[in-house]
Amino acid sequence: MILDFPKIDLNNYKSNSQKIRILSETWLLRNAYCPNCKITLKKFENNHKLADFYCDKCKEEFELKSKESSTANPRKIADGEYFTKIKRLKSDNNPNLFFLTYQDKKICNLVFVPKYYFTEHIIERRKPLALTARRVGWTGSNIILSQIPENGKIFIIENSQEIADGKINEKIKRTSFLKTEKIKNRGWILDILNCVNRIKKLNFDLGDMYKFENGLKKLHPDNNHIKDKIRQQLQLLRDKKLLQFLGSGKYRIIV
């Protein structure tokens, strides 16, 4: 991949955000590909709601977000209209995400987030636009990147280095079982994966996980058996070979 933004005429665009959008979209079309099929993506017509690109083979859709930064770890990024986003999430027809960071017009990171990592918990509702705004009442949203488990942040380019196809495929396949999970079940799996990530240890035990009980209760107020649910989800992650059970309530992350 060429990691420099393309040299194209931007004289017809006034705002810097418009220029970056054109540069990043053009770069993606010329260099990136569908992570599932390894073929060049195609672009939707301008102003297509929620998605920017699609794969002509698998029919998956993709949204591109760009940010000036040398790292791929900002807490959140601005997204589209909130109610449209939530409606599409509930229909299970949301787009996959490409998140691109750049510095000095050079690509630093390109992260692919499969669509099955998106739940309502990671979409933040912004304040409606003021009465003085042109689009009065319009309500935007943010994607809370910090709420996406590390398993779902699949680097295609990391620190200006292209990642081998084999590694990308392996990471996608490890959690592809989430595709067939119902949205409610998927939310629990992702919440438990986030808790495991926050422990920041390869080896952990149930005591470490139970510390997240109150936080999980806030996310799932209708569930009165949080500890039981934690154990259930850990067993599922063990069966899916993301965790190894060591016995006596102890686990190890399989890397």
Side-chain angles (χ1 to χ4, degrees):
M1 291 185 183
I2 297 172
L3 299 185
D4 295 305
F5 274 147
K7 295 180 179 179
I8 54 180
D9 185 5
L10 298 172
N11 289 328
N12 291 331
Y13 301 94
K14 295 181 179 180
S15 75
N16 190 55
S17 61
Q18 286 180 315
K19 293 178 181 179
I20 291 300
R21 178 178 59 81
I22 295 299
L23 287 170
S24 59
E25 288 182 353
T26 304
W27 179 88
L28 193 79
L29 280 173
R30 293 180 182 179
N31 292 277
Y33 50 82
C34 171
N36 303 306
C37 305
K38 301 297 183 290
I39 65 172
T40 302
L41 296 171
K42 294 189 175 181
K43 191 178 185 307
F44 280 115
E45 67 278 8
N46 289 336
N47 299 319
H48 187 275
K49 288 187 177 180
L50 294 180
D52 303 304
F53 305 93
Y54 66 96
C55 173
D56 212 18
K57 183 176 180 180
C58 68
K59 307 305 179 185
E60 287 286 348
E61 298 181 3
F62 303 85
E63 180 181 25
L64 173 64
K65 296 295 179 183
S66 303
K67 189 177 183 68
E68 186 171 15
S69 173
S70 60
T71 71
N73 292 307
R75 181 179 174 272
K76 59 186 176 182
I77 52 174
D79 201 20
E81 203 275 334
Y82 174 78
F83 297 103
T84 304
K85 186 80 176 181
I86 294 300
K87 182 179 179 180
R88 195 162 182 185
L89 278 178
K90 290 181 176 179
S91 70
D92 206 23
N93 188 34
N94 55 304
N96 303 276
L97 174 68
F98 281 120
F99 178 54
L100 180 154
T101 67
Y102 64 93
Q103 199 167 56
D104 299 325
K105 295 186 178 181
K106 187 179 182 69
I107 308 302
C108 299
N109 299 280
L110 180 65
V111 180
F112 168 60
V113 181
K115 65 182 184 181
Y116 42 82
Y117 276 89
F118 282 79
T119 65
E120 289 187 53
H121 293 162
I122 70 167
I123 306 299
E124 179 182 64
R125 180 177 174 179
R126 290 173 15 214
K127 291 182 179 180
L129 293 183
L131 294 175
T132 54
R134 182 171 58 87
R135 293 188 293 171
V136 58
W138 186 88
T139 304
S141 65
N142 294 315
I143 298 173
I144 310 299
L145 291 176
S146 58
Q147 292 280 36
I148 299 174
E150 293 304 311
N151 310 69
K153 299 172 185 175
I154 301 168
F155 282 88
I156 295 175
I157 296 171
E158 184 174 15
N159 297 325
S160 299
Q161 297 294 319
E162 189 175 351
I163 305 301
D165 285 353
K167 290 185 177 181
I168 296 171
N169 287 337
E170 181 183 347
K171 289 183 177 181
I172 292 174
K173 287 179 180 178
R174 287 194 73 194
T175 57
S176 61
F177 69 90
L178 288 166
K179 286 182 183 179
T180 57
E181 292 286 342
K182 293 181 179 179
I183 293 176
K184 185 175 181 180
N185 294 341
R186 191 191 308 156
W188 263 107
I189 296 168
L190 298 179
D191 291 338
I192 295 300
L193 273 174
N194 262 328
C195 293
V196 170
N197 291 160
R198 288 170 188 153
I199 294 172
K200 299 188 182 301
K201 296 187 295 186
L202 284 180
N203 290 8
F204 64 93
D205 58 32
L206 286 174
D208 294 316
M209 291 298 297
Y210 289 161
K211 292 176 182 177
F212 298 103
E213 182 179 6
N214 290 338
L216 289 168
K217 179 64 177 177
K218 290 179 181 178
L219 293 175
H220 304 276
D222 295 333
N223 191 300
N224 296 317
H225 306 281
I226 300 296
K227 288 183 178 179
D228 293 341
K229 195 69 175 180
I230 289 173
R231 293 193 297 270
Q232 179 196 64
Q233 297 304 305
L234 290 175
Q235 289 171 8
L236 185 149
L237 294 175
R238 175 204 63 191
D239 294 342
K240 298 300 183 181
K241 302 189 186 311
L242 293 177
L243 297 177
Q244 179 186 1
F245 181 57
L246 303 175
S248 301
K250 297 180 180 180
Y251 292 84
R252 181 178 178 84
I253 299 173
I254 298 175
V255 294

